[in-house]
Coordinates of all heavy atoms in Angstrom, one line a residue:
G14 N -1.9 -18.2 8.2 CA -1.8 -17.4 7.0 C -1.9 -15.9 7.4 O -1.1 -15.1 6.8
G120 N -0.5 -4.0 2.2 CA -1.4 -5.3 2.3 C -0.7 -6.4 1.6 O -0.4 -6.3 0.4
T124 N -1.0 -16.7 -2.1 CA -1.8 -17.8 -2.7 C -1.5 -19.1 -1.9 O -0.6 -19.2 -1.1 CB -1.4 -18.0 -4.1 OG1 0.0 -18.4 -4.2 CG2 -1.5 -16.7 -5.0

Side-chain angles (χ1 to χ4, degrees):
T124 62

